[in-house]
Amino acid sequence: MFSNLREDFPTLRDDNPPAYLDNACMTLRPDSVIDAIKSYYEKTPGCGGRSVHRYAMSVSRKMSACRRSISELFNAREVGEIIFTKNATHSLNQVAKGLSWNKDDVVLTTDREHNSNLVPWLQLEEEFGIDHRVVRSNDDNTFDISAFEEACSDAGNSLKMVSMSHVGNLDGVATPIKEIAKIAKDYDAMVCVDGAQSTPHMKVDVQDLGIDFLAFSLHKMMGPSGMGGLWGRMELLENMRSITAGGSTVQTSNYDSLVWSKPPDRFEGGLGNYAGILGTAAAIDYISAIDLDAVHEHEIKLNKVMTSVIRDVNGIDIIGPSDASKRGGICSVLLENIDAHDIAIMLDEAAGVMVRSGMHCVHSWFNDRKVNTGSLRASGYLYNTEDEVKLFAETLVEAVEALG
Ligand SMILES: Cc1ncc(COP(=O)(O)O)c(C=O)c1O
C-alpha cells in the first residue's frame, strides 16, 4: 500500500535491501530527515533561543515551527506544552522526578512496561517511599480493566499517578488509555502515557484521550536518534521541577536566588540537539502527511501474514493474543530451547532479515515467567512488504525445524 514511499528511504534503494523488521526499536529515515540534519551543519550551524545572528535566528524559527507541528499532531492546547528531550526515557524521567511525591503515594503501571516506564517509578519507591503497584494483564497480555478498577479502588485517595504504555513494545498490544484515563480521573489521579510505540503508528489526540502527559520518541517516528519529546498539560508543567537545571531554564539568576523560565524552556537546559530538532521537523512533516489509520491497517495485514506462517509450528509461541489484529505491527515469539540471539544472527546472515532479539527492556515480564532465552521480535512499518514478512516467517520456521 505504501510501497511507493520506499523510494524515500536510502537504505531501501540499495540493490539488495534488507528486510528491515526492527522498527519497534528504531525506524528508517527518509531523505528529507537526513537532508534537514545535513543542512543544519552545512548552512545554519548556530544555537537556538540564544544568539541573534542569522544562523541562530534561523534555528530558533525552525525550533518554534517544529514545536507547533508537534502540538498540532497531538492536538495540544498550547505550543509551549511541547518539550524537546533526548528520548522517551528522558521524558518519563522528567515526569517522575519533576513532580512532587509524598510517601505512600500510589503509582500504577501495567505488568509489561518498558524499563523506561518502570525503573523511574521503582527508583522513586526506593528513594522516596512511593508505592508502585502493578496491574496484572489477562493471560494473553491484553489489559484487564477489572483488575485496574480494583487497583484504583484499593489505592483510593492515595492514587496519584497511572503511568502506562499506550502500545507494548514486547507484544504490540494496545492499552485502552481513554477508558483508563476516565477511571483514573474519578480518583483525581494524573495519567502519563508512554507513547513510544503508539505515536509512530496511530493518531494520538491528547485531548480526546483525556491524559496529562505523553512521552514519545522521534527515532521510532522516522526522526533522528537522540531526539524525543514530552507533552504535558500546561497547568502541571508550570508546577513541575526541572531535572536539567542550567542554561535557558531560568529567566535570571543571582548568587542566592533565581527566577525559573516558563515551560518549555525550564525543561530544556543546555545547548540542544539542533540538528536533531531540524530533523524532527522534517520527520513530523513526513508523518503528518501520512494516513496513520492506513498505516495501522497495513501493519495488521503484515502481521496476519507472519502469524499465519508460524502460528501452528511446534517450538514457536507467539507472545500476546493469537489474533494478529490485536498486536499491531509486532510479532514477538518465544522459541523453545533456542536462544533468540542465535536465530536473529542467522536471519540477517542467511536471509537479510533484521529483527530484534532479547528481552526488549521488559526484563520484569520475562523474569516473572522465568523465561531466560528472550524473544525474537519482528516489527513492521509502512515501508515493509508482504514478501519481507513472509521471508522472515518462513526462514524462522525452517531454522526452528532444523534445530528442533
Ligand atoms: C514502549 C517503549 N517505551 C519506552 C522506550 C524507550 O524509548 P527511548 O529509547 O526513546 O528512550 C521504548 C523503546 O524501545 C519503548 O518501546
mmCIF file of all heavy atoms in Angstrom, residues 302-319 321-322 324 327 330-335 343 347 355 376-378 389-401:
data_model
loop_
_atom_site.group_PDB
_atom_site.id
_atom_site.type_symbol
_atom_site.label_atom_id
_atom_site.label_comp_id
_atom_site.label_asym_id
_atom_site.label_seq_id
_atom_site.Cartn_x
_atom_site.Cartn_y
_atom_site.Cartn_z
ATOM 1 N N LEU A 302 0.313 -7.112 7.499
ATOM 2 C CA LEU A 302 1.627 -7.772 7.521
ATOM 3 C C LEU A 302 1.694 -8.783 8.669
ATOM 4 O O LEU A 302 2.212 -9.893 8.521
ATOM 5 C CB LEU A 302 2.746 -6.741 7.716
ATOM 6 C CG LEU A 302 2.947 -5.681 6.625
ATOM 7 C CD1 LEU A 302 4.073 -4.731 7.026
ATOM 8 C CD2 LEU A 302 3.280 -6.328 5.274
ATOM 9 N N ASN A 303 1.155 -8.371 9.813
ATOM 10 C CA ASN A 303 1.213 -9.244 10.988
ATOM 11 C C ASN A 303 0.402 -10.515 10.756
ATOM 12 O O ASN A 303 0.792 -11.607 11.181
ATOM 13 C CB ASN A 303 0.706 -8.489 12.229
ATOM 14 C CG ASN A 303 1.309 -9.039 13.512
ATOM 15 O OD1 ASN A 303 1.833 -10.142 13.522
ATOM 16 N ND2 ASN A 303 1.220 -8.285 14.577
ATOM 17 N N LYS A 304 -0.715 -10.381 10.052
ATOM 18 C CA LYS A 304 -1.537 -11.574 9.766
ATOM 19 C C LYS A 304 -0.758 -12.558 8.900
ATOM 20 O O LYS A 304 -0.854 -13.765 9.079
ATOM 21 C CB LYS A 304 -2.833 -11.156 9.061
ATOM 22 C CG LYS A 304 -3.843 -10.557 10.031
ATOM 23 C CD LYS A 304 -5.167 -10.262 9.344
ATOM 24 C CE LYS A 304 -6.178 -9.785 10.388
ATOM 25 N NZ LYS A 304 -7.321 -9.112 9.796
ATOM 26 N N VAL A 305 0.025 -12.014 7.966
ATOM 27 C CA VAL A 305 0.821 -12.884 7.085
ATOM 28 C C VAL A 305 1.857 -13.646 7.925
ATOM 29 O O VAL A 305 1.976 -14.875 7.839
ATOM 30 C CB VAL A 305 1.512 -12.051 5.972
ATOM 31 C CG1 VAL A 305 2.486 -12.907 5.175
ATOM 32 C CG2 VAL A 305 0.475 -11.420 5.055
ATOM 33 N N MET A 306 2.615 -12.917 8.782
ATOM 34 C CA MET A 306 3.639 -13.591 9.608
ATOM 35 C C MET A 306 2.984 -14.625 10.512
ATOM 36 O O MET A 306 3.436 -15.752 10.634
ATOM 37 C CB MET A 306 4.353 -12.591 10.538
ATOM 38 C CG MET A 306 5.004 -11.419 9.902
ATOM 39 S SD MET A 306 6.044 -10.541 11.089
ATOM 40 C CE MET A 306 5.134 -9.010 11.295
ATOM 41 N N THR A 307 1.897 -14.198 11.140
ATOM 42 C CA THR A 307 1.230 -15.060 12.115
ATOM 43 C C THR A 307 0.735 -16.345 11.468
ATOM 44 O O THR A 307 0.894 -17.435 12.038
ATOM 45 C CB THR A 307 0.048 -14.286 12.760
ATOM 46 O OG1 THR A 307 0.585 -13.139 13.413
ATOM 47 C CG2 THR A 307 -0.685 -15.140 13.773
ATOM 48 N N SER A 308 0.177 -16.232 10.252
ATOM 49 C CA SER A 308 -0.386 -17.436 9.634
ATOM 50 C C SER A 308 0.710 -18.456 9.313
ATOM 51 O O SER A 308 0.473 -19.648 9.365
ATOM 52 C CB SER A 308 -1.183 -17.069 8.384
ATOM 53 O OG SER A 308 -0.296 -16.632 7.399
ATOM 54 N N VAL A 309 1.924 -17.987 9.042
ATOM 55 C CA VAL A 309 3.010 -18.932 8.720
ATOM 56 C C VAL A 309 3.533 -19.633 9.982
ATOM 57 O O VAL A 309 3.843 -20.826 9.958
ATOM 58 C CB VAL A 309 4.175 -18.201 7.998
ATOM 59 C CG1 VAL A 309 5.344 -19.148 7.738
ATOM 60 C CG2 VAL A 309 3.697 -17.572 6.698
ATOM 61 N N ILE A 310 3.601 -18.916 11.109
ATOM 62 C CA ILE A 310 4.283 -19.505 12.281
ATOM 63 C C ILE A 310 3.342 -20.029 13.368
ATOM 64 O O ILE A 310 3.783 -20.753 14.253
ATOM 65 C CB ILE A 310 5.260 -18.480 12.918
ATOM 66 C CG1 ILE A 310 4.532 -17.235 13.386
ATOM 67 C CG2 ILE A 310 6.359 -18.115 11.988
ATOM 68 C CD1 ILE A 310 5.472 -16.188 13.957
ATOM 69 N N ARG A 311 2.073 -19.674 13.250
ATOM 70 C CA ARG A 311 1.123 -19.936 14.345
ATOM 71 C C ARG A 311 1.113 -21.386 14.839
ATOM 72 O O ARG A 311 1.126 -21.636 16.034
ATOM 73 C CB ARG A 311 -0.274 -19.521 13.876
ATOM 74 C CG ARG A 311 -1.311 -19.516 14.964
ATOM 75 C CD ARG A 311 -2.636 -19.001 14.465
ATOM 76 N NE ARG A 311 -2.876 -19.420 13.088
ATOM 77 C CZ ARG A 311 -3.645 -18.760 12.222
ATOM 78 N NH1 ARG A 311 -4.247 -17.643 12.595
ATOM 79 N NH2 ARG A 311 -3.828 -19.204 11.006
ATOM 80 N N ASP A 312 1.106 -22.333 13.899
ATOM 81 C CA ASP A 312 0.912 -23.731 14.318
ATOM 82 C C ASP A 312 2.208 -24.532 14.349
ATOM 83 O O ASP A 312 2.176 -25.757 14.368
ATOM 84 C CB ASP A 312 -0.098 -24.407 13.362
ATOM 85 C CG ASP A 312 -1.441 -23.682 13.407
ATOM 86 O OD1 ASP A 312 -1.831 -23.253 14.512
ATOM 87 O OD2 ASP A 312 -2.069 -23.527 12.345
ATOM 88 N N VAL A 313 3.340 -23.837 14.361
ATOM 89 C CA VAL A 313 4.619 -24.568 14.316
ATOM 90 C C VAL A 313 5.060 -24.932 15.737
ATOM 91 O O VAL A 313 5.084 -24.075 16.623
ATOM 92 C CB VAL A 313 5.701 -23.697 13.620
ATOM 93 C CG1 VAL A 313 7.050 -24.405 13.627
ATOM 94 C CG2 VAL A 313 5.260 -23.355 12.206
ATOM 95 N N ASN A 314 5.418 -26.200 15.926
ATOM 96 C CA ASN A 314 5.894 -26.646 17.250
ATOM 97 C C ASN A 314 7.175 -25.915 17.616
ATOM 98 O O ASN A 314 8.046 -25.754 16.773
ATOM 99 C CB ASN A 314 6.209 -28.147 17.230
ATOM 100 C CG ASN A 314 4.940 -28.952 17.372
ATOM 101 O OD1 ASN A 314 3.939 -28.432 17.869
ATOM 102 N ND2 ASN A 314 4.981 -30.192 16.913
ATOM 103 N N GLY A 315 7.272 -25.470 18.862
ATOM 104 C CA GLY A 315 8.502 -24.818 19.314
ATOM 105 C C GLY A 315 8.479 -23.310 19.124
ATOM 106 O O GLY A 315 9.417 -22.618 19.500
ATOM 107 N N ILE A 316 7.407 -22.766 18.516
ATOM 108 C CA ILE A 316 7.280 -21.298 18.386
ATOM 109 C C ILE A 316 5.977 -20.884 19.071
ATOM 110 O O ILE A 316 4.910 -21.390 18.747
ATOM 111 C CB ILE A 316 7.228 -20.835 16.909
ATOM 112 C CG1 ILE A 316 8.430 -21.346 16.119
ATOM 113 C CG2 ILE A 316 7.150 -19.305 16.837
ATOM 114 C CD1 ILE A 316 8.479 -20.852 14.666
ATOM 115 N N ASP A 317 6.121 -19.949 19.995
ATOM 116 C CA ASP A 317 4.969 -19.496 20.777
ATOM 117 C C ASP A 317 4.832 -17.980 20.637
ATOM 118 O O ASP A 317 5.739 -17.249 21.021
ATOM 119 C CB ASP A 317 5.281 -19.837 22.251
ATOM 120 C CG ASP A 317 4.045 -20.271 22.977
ATOM 121 O OD1 ASP A 317 2.977 -20.233 22.354
ATOM 122 O OD2 ASP A 317 4.169 -20.608 24.177
ATOM 123 N N ILE A 318 3.737 -17.514 20.071
ATOM 124 C CA ILE A 318 3.571 -16.060 19.896
ATOM 125 C C ILE A 318 3.200 -15.417 21.243
ATOM 126 O O ILE A 318 2.310 -15.906 21.944
ATOM 127 C CB ILE A 318 2.482 -15.771 18.840
ATOM 128 C CG1 ILE A 318 2.938 -16.290 17.475
ATOM 129 C CG2 ILE A 318 2.159 -14.281 18.772
ATOM 130 C CD1 ILE A 318 1.930 -16.157 16.358
ATOM 131 N N ILE A 319 3.871 -14.315 21.588
ATOM 132 C CA ILE A 319 3.537 -13.598 22.826
ATOM 133 C C ILE A 319 2.338 -12.699 22.540
ATOM 134 O O ILE A 319 2.340 -11.947 21.564
ATOM 135 C CB ILE A 319 4.724 -12.731 23.308
ATOM 136 C CG1 ILE A 319 5.955 -13.613 23.576
ATOM 137 C CG2 ILE A 319 4.355 -11.952 24.558
ATOM 138 C CD1 ILE A 319 7.192 -12.828 23.997
ATOM 139 N N PRO A 321 -2.042 -12.034 22.160
ATOM 140 C CA PRO A 321 -3.203 -12.708 21.599
ATOM 141 C C PRO A 321 -2.871 -13.419 20.291
ATOM 142 O O PRO A 321 -2.023 -12.948 19.531
ATOM 143 C CB PRO A 321 -4.197 -11.569 21.327
ATOM 144 C CG PRO A 321 -3.625 -10.356 21.952
ATOM 145 C CD PRO A 321 -2.182 -10.575 22.195
ATOM 146 N N SER A 322 -3.558 -14.539 20.029
ATOM 147 C CA SER A 322 -3.290 -15.247 18.766
ATOM 148 C C SER A 322 -3.789 -14.417 17.579
ATOM 149 O O SER A 322 -3.241 -14.501 16.483
ATOM 150 C CB SER A 322 -3.938 -16.630 18.773
ATOM 151 O OG SER A 322 -5.303 -16.489 19.073
ATOM 152 N N ALA A 324 -3.776 -11.644 15.218
ATOM 153 C CA ALA A 324 -2.748 -10.657 14.853
ATOM 154 C C ALA A 324 -3.285 -9.230 14.894
ATOM 155 O O ALA A 324 -2.529 -8.283 15.152
ATOM 156 C CB ALA A 324 -2.213 -10.971 13.457
ATOM 157 N N ARG A 327 -2.279 -7.134 17.787
ATOM 158 C CA ARG A 327 -0.855 -6.928 18.089
ATOM 159 C C ARG A 327 -0.197 -5.909 17.162
ATOM 160 O O ARG A 327 1.031 -5.910 17.006
ATOM 161 C CB ARG A 327 -0.107 -8.275 18.004
ATOM 162 C CG ARG A 327 -0.411 -9.208 19.161
ATOM 163 C CD ARG A 327 0.400 -10.496 19.087
ATOM 164 N NE ARG A 327 -0.258 -11.502 18.279
ATOM 165 C CZ ARG A 327 0.140 -11.871 17.062
ATOM 166 N NH1 ARG A 327 1.207 -11.325 16.512
ATOM 167 N NH2 ARG A 327 -0.515 -12.788 16.388
ATOM 168 N N ILE A 330 3.533 -5.844 15.574
ATOM 169 C CA ILE A 330 4.560 -6.618 16.294
ATOM 170 C C ILE A 330 4.215 -8.103 16.375
ATOM 171 O O ILE A 330 3.123 -8.489 16.787
ATOM 172 C CB ILE A 330 4.766 -6.033 17.718
ATOM 173 C CG1 ILE A 330 5.404 -4.640 17.607
ATOM 174 C CG2 ILE A 330 5.630 -6.965 18.566
ATOM 175 C CD1 ILE A 330 5.754 -3.971 18.916
ATOM 176 N N CYS A 331 5.190 -8.918 15.976
ATOM 177 C CA CYS A 331 5.055 -10.368 16.117
ATOM 178 C C CYS A 331 6.281 -10.829 16.891
ATOM 179 O O CYS A 331 7.393 -10.861 16.367
ATOM 180 C CB CYS A 331 4.983 -11.021 14.741
ATOM 181 S SG CYS A 331 4.638 -12.776 14.834
ATOM 182 N N SER A 332 6.065 -11.135 18.166
ATOM 183 C CA SER A 332 7.168 -11.457 19.059
ATOM 184 C C SER A 332 6.983 -12.898 19.507
ATOM 185 O O SER A 332 5.893 -13.274 19.925
ATOM 186 C CB SER A 332 7.059 -10.493 20.255
ATOM 187 O OG SER A 332 8.141 -10.572 21.091
ATOM 188 N N VAL A 333 8.038 -13.708 19.377
ATOM 189 C CA VAL A 333 7.852 -15.137 19.658
ATOM 190 C C VAL A 333 8.868 -15.683 20.655
ATOM 191 O O VAL A 333 10.013 -15.230 20.707
ATOM 192 C CB VAL A 333 7.935 -15.983 18.356
ATOM 193 C CG1 VAL A 333 6.815 -15.613 17.404
ATOM 194 C CG2 VAL A 333 9.287 -15.842 17.673
ATOM 195 N N LEU A 334 8.417 -16.654 21.450
ATOM 196 C CA LEU A 334 9.306 -17.402 22.340
ATOM 197 C C LEU A 334 9.687 -18.674 21.588
ATOM 198 O O LEU A 334 8.823 -19.290 20.949
ATOM 199 C CB LEU A 334 8.576 -17.774 23.638
ATOM 200 C CG LEU A 334 8.116 -16.606 24.516
ATOM 201 C CD1 LEU A 334 7.250 -17.103 25.663
ATOM 202 C CD2 LEU A 334 9.321 -15.843 25.057
ATOM 203 N N LEU A 335 10.966 -19.038 21.663
ATOM 204 C CA LEU A 335 11.444 -20.221 20.940
ATOM 205 C C LEU A 335 11.886 -21.256 21.968
ATOM 206 O O LEU A 335 12.740 -20.966 22.809
ATOM 207 C CB LEU A 335 12.618 -19.847 20.027
ATOM 208 C CG LEU A 335 12.327 -18.722 19.019
ATOM 209 C CD1 LEU A 335 13.602 -18.314 18.302
ATOM 210 C CD2 LEU A 335 11.261 -19.161 18.024
ATOM 211 N N ILE A 343 19.148 -17.082 16.463
ATOM 212 C CA ILE A 343 18.258 -17.055 15.288
ATOM 213 C C ILE A 343 18.310 -15.664 14.628
ATOM 214 O O ILE A 343 18.285 -15.549 13.397
ATOM 215 C CB ILE A 343 16.803 -17.397 15.701
ATOM 216 C CG1 ILE A 343 16.750 -18.785 16.343
ATOM 217 C CG2 ILE A 343 15.863 -17.320 14.502
ATOM 218 C CD1 ILE A 343 16.976 -19.943 15.399
ATOM 219 N N LEU A 347 19.125 -15.086 10.794
ATOM 220 C CA LEU A 347 18.153 -14.447 9.892
ATOM 221 C C LEU A 347 18.818 -13.353 9.059
ATOM 222 O O LEU A 347 18.569 -13.209 7.865
ATOM 223 C CB LEU A 347 17.002 -13.828 10.703
ATOM 224 C CG LEU A 347 15.898 -14.776 11.186
ATOM 225 C CD1 LEU A 347 15.014 -14.078 12.216
ATOM 226 C CD2 LEU A 347 15.049 -15.263 10.014
ATOM 227 N N VAL A 355 15.828 -8.357 12.694
ATOM 228 C CA VAL A 355 14.808 -8.322 13.749
ATOM 229 C C VAL A 355 15.501 -8.053 15.075
ATOM 230 O O VAL A 355 16.724 -7.924 15.133
ATOM 231 C CB VAL A 355 14.056 -9.675 13.835
ATOM 232 C CG1 VAL A 355 13.227 -9.929 12.597
ATOM 233 C CG2 VAL A 355 15.022 -10.827 14.102
ATOM 234 N N LEU A 376 12.125 -13.337 20.107
ATOM 235 C CA LEU A 376 12.528 -12.815 18.800
ATOM 236 C C LEU A 376 11.374 -11.943 18.330
ATOM 237 O O LEU A 376 10.230 -12.406 18.306
ATOM 238 C CB LEU A 376 12.734 -14.001 17.840
ATOM 239 C CG LEU A 376 13.380 -13.675 16.515
ATOM 240 C CD1 LEU A 376 14.897 -13.556 16.708
ATOM 241 C CD2 LEU A 376 13.105 -14.801 15.516
ATOM 242 N N ARG A 377 11.674 -10.694 17.996
ATOM 243 C CA ARG A 377 10.569 -9.769 17.678
ATOM 244 C C ARG A 377 10.726 -9.183 16.277
ATOM 245 O O ARG A 377 11.731 -8.538 15.981
ATOM 246 C CB ARG A 377 10.562 -8.639 18.703
ATOM 247 C CG ARG A 377 9.442 -7.627 18.498
ATOM 248 C CD ARG A 377 9.577 -6.463 19.456
ATOM 249 N NE ARG A 377 10.697 -5.595 19.101
ATOM 250 C CZ ARG A 377 11.151 -4.592 19.849
ATOM 251 N NH1 ARG A 377 10.584 -4.341 21.019
ATOM 252 N NH2 ARG A 377 12.157 -3.846 19.450
ATOM 253 N N ALA A 378 9.718 -9.390 15.447
ATOM 254 C CA ALA A 378 9.685 -8.723 14.137
ATOM 255 C C ALA A 378 8.657 -7.606 14.252
ATOM 256 O O ALA A 378 7.560 -7.813 14.766
ATOM 257 C CB ALA A 378 9.266 -9.703 13.054
ATOM 258 N N VAL A 389 7.845 -9.908 5.167
ATOM 259 C CA VAL A 389 7.429 -10.599 6.402
ATOM 260 C C VAL A 389 7.295 -12.106 6.157
ATOM 261 O O VAL A 389 7.551 -12.912 7.052
ATOM 262 C CB VAL A 389 6.139 -10.004 7.011
ATOM 263 C CG1 VAL A 389 6.375 -8.601 7.518
ATOM 264 C CG2 VAL A 389 4.971 -10.044 6.059
ATOM 265 N N LYS A 390 6.938 -12.477 4.913
ATOM 266 C CA LYS A 390 6.862 -13.906 4.575
ATOM 267 C C LYS A 390 8.272 -14.511 4.647
ATOM 268 O O LYS A 390 8.469 -15.595 5.173
ATOM 269 C CB LYS A 390 6.289 -14.049 3.164
ATOM 270 C CG LYS A 390 5.335 -15.230 3.069
ATOM 271 C CD LYS A 390 4.841 -15.446 1.679
ATOM 272 C CE LYS A 390 3.545 -14.715 1.423
ATOM 273 N NZ LYS A 390 3.126 -14.769 0.031
ATOM 274 N N LEU A 391 9.250 -13.772 4.138
ATOM 275 C CA LEU A 391 10.636 -14.244 4.178
ATOM 276 C C LEU A 391 11.070 -14.460 5.632
ATOM 277 O O LEU A 391 11.688 -15.472 5.980
ATOM 278 C CB LEU A 391 11.553 -13.219 3.498
ATOM 279 C CG LEU A 391 13.049 -13.531 3.504
ATOM 280 C CD1 LEU A 391 13.349 -14.786 2.677
ATOM 281 C CD2 LEU A 391 13.852 -12.341 2.942
ATOM 282 N N PHE A 392 10.732 -13.493 6.486
ATOM 283 C CA PHE A 392 11.060 -13.626 7.911
ATOM 284 C C PHE A 392 10.437 -14.901 8.480
ATOM 285 O O PHE A 392 11.119 -15.744 9.073
ATOM 286 C CB PHE A 392 10.549 -12.404 8.699
ATOM 287 C CG PHE A 392 10.299 -12.700 10.157
ATOM 288 C CD1 PHE A 392 11.361 -12.930 11.026
ATOM 289 C CD2 PHE A 392 8.999 -12.788 10.657
ATOM 290 C CE1 PHE A 392 11.136 -13.243 12.368
ATOM 291 C CE2 PHE A 392 8.767 -13.100 11.982
ATOM 292 C CZ PHE A 392 9.838 -13.333 12.848
ATOM 293 N N ALA A 393 9.129 -15.040 8.281
ATOM 294 C CA ALA A 393 8.406 -16.137 8.932
ATOM 295 C C ALA A 393 8.864 -17.489 8.393
ATOM 296 O O ALA A 393 9.104 -18.430 9.168
ATOM 297 C CB ALA A 393 6.909 -15.940 8.730
ATOM 298 N N GLU A 394 9.040 -17.594 7.082
ATOM 299 C CA GLU A 394 9.423 -18.901 6.514
ATOM 300 C C GLU A 394 10.852 -19.292 6.911
ATOM 301 O O GLU A 394 11.127 -20.444 7.205
ATOM 302 C CB GLU A 394 9.264 -18.866 4.983
ATOM 303 C CG GLU A 394 7.779 -18.889 4.619
ATOM 304 C CD GLU A 394 7.485 -18.659 3.130
ATOM 305 O OE1 GLU A 394 8.436 -18.403 2.355
ATOM 306 O OE2 GLU A 394 6.300 -18.708 2.769
ATOM 307 N N THR A 395 11.752 -18.286 6.957
ATOM 308 C CA THR A 395 13.140 -18.604 7.353
ATOM 309 C C THR A 395 13.183 -19.009 8.824
ATOM 310 O O THR A 395 13.912 -19.925 9.212
ATOM 311 C CB THR A 395 14.074 -17.388 7.109
ATOM 312 O OG1 THR A 395 13.779 -16.824 5.839
ATOM 313 C CG2 THR A 395 15.527 -17.763 7.175
ATOM 314 N N LEU A 396 12.376 -18.339 9.637
ATOM 315 C CA LEU A 396 12.318 -18.685 11.064
ATOM 316 C C LEU A 396 11.826 -20.128 11.233
ATOM 317 O O LEU A 396 12.414 -20.910 11.988
ATOM 318 C CB LEU A 396 11.370 -17.704 11.793
ATOM 319 C CG LEU A 396 10.985 -18.070 13.217
ATOM 320 C CD1 LEU A 396 12.207 -18.070 14.144
ATOM 321 C CD2 LEU A 396 9.933 -17.106 13.765
ATOM 322 N N VAL A 397 10.761 -20.476 10.532
ATOM 323 C CA VAL A 397 10.215 -21.830 10.661
ATOM 324 C C VAL A 397 11.245 -22.875 10.230
ATOM 325 O O VAL A 397 11.476 -23.874 10.925
ATOM 326 C CB VAL A 397 8.909 -21.964 9.832
ATOM 327 C CG1 VAL A 397 8.447 -23.417 9.767
ATOM 328 C CG2 VAL A 397 7.817 -21.073 10.420
ATOM 329 N N GLU A 398 11.932 -22.607 9.116
ATOM 330 C CA GLU A 398 12.976 -23.543 8.655
ATOM 331 C C GLU A 398 14.041 -23.734 9.726
ATOM 332 O O GLU A 398 14.466 -24.846 10.015
ATOM 333 C CB GLU A 398 13.675 -22.989 7.402
ATOM 334 C CG GLU A 398 13.003 -23.363 6.103
ATOM 335 C CD GLU A 398 13.604 -22.567 4.934
ATOM 336 O OE1 GLU A 398 14.835 -22.292 4.966
ATOM 337 O OE2 GLU A 398 12.841 -22.197 4.033
ATOM 338 N N ALA A 399 14.466 -22.621 10.341
ATOM 339 C CA ALA A 399 15.535 -22.695 11.341
ATOM 340 C C ALA A 399 15.072 -23.474 12.568
ATOM 341 O O ALA A 399 15.810 -24.330 13.080
ATOM 342 C CB ALA A 399 15.952 -21.279 11.753
ATOM 343 N N VAL A 400 13.866 -23.208 13.004
ATOM 344 C CA VAL A 400 13.360 -23.897 14.207
ATOM 345 C C VAL A 400 13.196 -25.381 13.917
ATOM 346 O O VAL A 400 13.554 -26.234 14.742
ATOM 347 C CB VAL A 400 12.042 -23.234 14.681
ATOM 348 C CG1 VAL A 400 11.341 -24.074 15.724
ATOM 349 C CG2 VAL A 400 12.322 -21.837 15.219
ATOM 350 N N GLU A 401 12.720 -25.711 12.732
ATOM 351 C CA GLU A 401 12.529 -27.129 12.403
ATOM 352 C C GLU A 401 13.881 -27.837 12.279
ATOM 353 O O GLU A 401 14.040 -28.984 12.691
ATOM 354 C CB GLU A 401 11.683 -27.273 11.128
ATOM 355 C CG GLU A 401 10.213 -26.994 11.459
ATOM 356 C CD GLU A 401 9.275 -27.000 10.256
ATOM 357 O OE1 GLU A 401 9.785 -26.983 9.116
ATOM 358 O OE2 GLU A 401 8.053 -27.000 10.486
#
